[in-house]
Amino acid sequence: MAVTLTALEVMRDAPVIPVIVLHDVAHAVPMARALVEGGIRMLEVTLRTPQALACIEAIARDVPQAVVGAGTVRTPAEAQSAARAGARFAVSPGYTPKVGQACRDAGLPLLPGVATGSEILAAQEDGHSELKFFPALQAGGLAMLKAWQGPFGDVRFCPTGGIQPGNAADFLALANVECVGGSWLVPADALAAGDWARIATLAREAAGLSR
């Protein structure tokens, strides 16, 4: 039986949570092994493709060193399906109490997406203090996170959306940022070419970022 995680444990495992879009189930296991080889274990497989749940199931079954989660969780049904497939955490682009309750019922720690102070308050009312700031750059970036340090000093963020190797360190340097989310660890061309060595190298570089 897998150990139940907290959202904070998910965030603190590595400086970056990869945001992964998979179109081919055959890519899931070798990709996950490459990320783990590079030091990244928390893997957010987004529910943006018809193959996503099968990919989560394959990683959960065949790569025990990885901790696979479901991203782009927007409905209670998606949370339930992700848990059945073997996901161990969930990430949402926004937040509703129904999604939060579904994740609690399924035993999935949730990183709810927020972009405003009111959304932070709504998530906190339901017990969430570890939040995804999304879309980070478009919603105010570093300046917004710095502004939130005063009124929301008890909240820890995973900014996602527009984060790249060139700006990740700036976000990680903030006191209220535990990790960042980024798609650059799993480029579409590397997946298509089966270039697992490149993905492992990108993961290694990401795992080495200071925070």
Side-chain angles (χ1 to χ4, degrees):
M1 185 73 178
V3 176
T4 301
L5 297 164
T6 66
L8 191 58
E9 286 171 334
V10 172
M11 295 172 82
R12 286 182 169 171
D13 197 70
V16 183
I17 296 175
V19 179
I20 302 163
V21 180
L22 291 169
H23 296 275
D24 188 340
V25 179
H27 291 158
V29 168
M31 175 219 65
R33 287 175 174 156
L35 289 167
V36 170
E37 178 189 337
I40 300 292
R41 298 189 312 141
M42 301 290 167
L43 313 183
E44 178 191 337
V45 176
T46 61
L47 301 183
R48 300 179 190 178
T49 69
Q51 298 81 12
L53 288 171
C55 291
I56 289 171
E57 187 173 4
I59 294 169
R61 181 184 64 239
D62 295 337
V63 193
Q65 308 94 324
V67 180
V68 63
T72 321
V73 174
R74 300 182 302 164
T75 66
E78 287 179 342
Q80 293 157 4
S81 295
R84 285 195 296 269
R88 293 180 57 196
F89 65 93
V91 185
S92 61
Y95 180 71
T96 70
K98 287 183 178 179
V99 168
Q101 186 61 53
C103 287
R104 280 190 292 276
D105 291 345
L108 294 176
L110 173 66
L111 296 180
V114 299
T116 68
S118 295
E119 291 168 357
I120 294 172
L121 289 174
Q124 282 195 297
E125 280 186 2
D126 286 347
H128 300 282
S129 292
E130 292 80 35
L131 308 176
K132 168 183 172 176
F133 175 36
F134 176 81
L137 258 60
Q138 296 86 341
L142 293 165
M144 182 67 86
L145 285 164
K146 290 175 182 177
W148 280 342
Q149 286 178 343
F152 300 114
D154 55 340
V155 177
R156 293 295 174 266
F157 294 97
C158 172
T160 305
I163 311 298
Q164 299 290 339
N167 62 10
D170 295 332
F171 282 91
L172 290 166
L174 297 179
N176 57 350
V177 170
E178 289 291 341
C179 66
V180 299
S183 59
W184 82 86
L185 279 72
V186 187
D189 58 344
L191 277 175
D195 192 350
W196 314 123
R198 179 181 169 202
I199 290 174
T201 296
L202 290 169
R204 199 169 292 112
E205 292 168 352
L209 287 168
S210 298
R211 53 178 171 168

